[in-house]
Amino acid sequence: MLRYLPFLLILALWIYAFIDCLNTPENEVRGLPKLAWVFVILLFGEVLVGPVAWLVAGRPRAARAQGPRNQRWVAPDDNPEFLRSLKRDDDPGHEGPRG
């Protein structure tokens, strides 16, 4: 049973690289066109050159987190937008939701 382990690991890496390449958008693939990467993975998968080349040179790099995840949490008493909303609610001429 243990003698099949290297074959199964190579097969798993081959399948992972192939599916990852197919699921990657064309504009994010590096180095070669996507179709060329598919052929490289399929032709050289048995000797691990294709899948390893895809993971090292063709796969898109992980983008750094952007957007709301990078925003620092601000307490309500330090948040200028929240403080402005309180001033609007205290304004006697302002008809708000309480009105």
Side-chain angles (χ1 to χ4, degrees), residues 8 13-14 24 28 45-46 62 75-77 93 95:
L8 292 176
L13 181 64
W14 196 5
T24 302
E28 293 182 14
E46 205 168 308
D77 58 338
E95 287 274 334

Side-chain angles (χ1 to χ4, degrees), residues 28 30 59-65:
E28 293 182 14
R30 297 182 300 144
R59 188 174 187 193
R61 295 181 187 204
R64 295 183 187 225

Side-chain angles (χ1 to χ4, degrees), residues 71-91:
Q71 292 179 351
R72 190 173 60 92
W73 184 82
V74 178
D77 58 338
D78 291 336
N79 188 339
E81 186 177 322
F82 177 74
L83 294 175
R84 269 181 275 166
S85 72
L86 288 178
K87 288 180 184 176
R88 275 186 265 136
D89 289 344
D90 288 341
D91 185 16

Side-chain angles (χ1 to χ4, degrees), residues 5-6 11 15 22 27-28 33 39 45 49 52-55 63 68 76 81 83 87 95 99:
L5 186 62
L11 182 65
I15 291 171
L22 290 179
N27 60 347
E28 293 182 14
F39 283 123
V49 173
V52 171
W54 163 253
L55 294 174
E81 186 177 322
L83 294 175
K87 288 180 184 176
E95 287 274 334

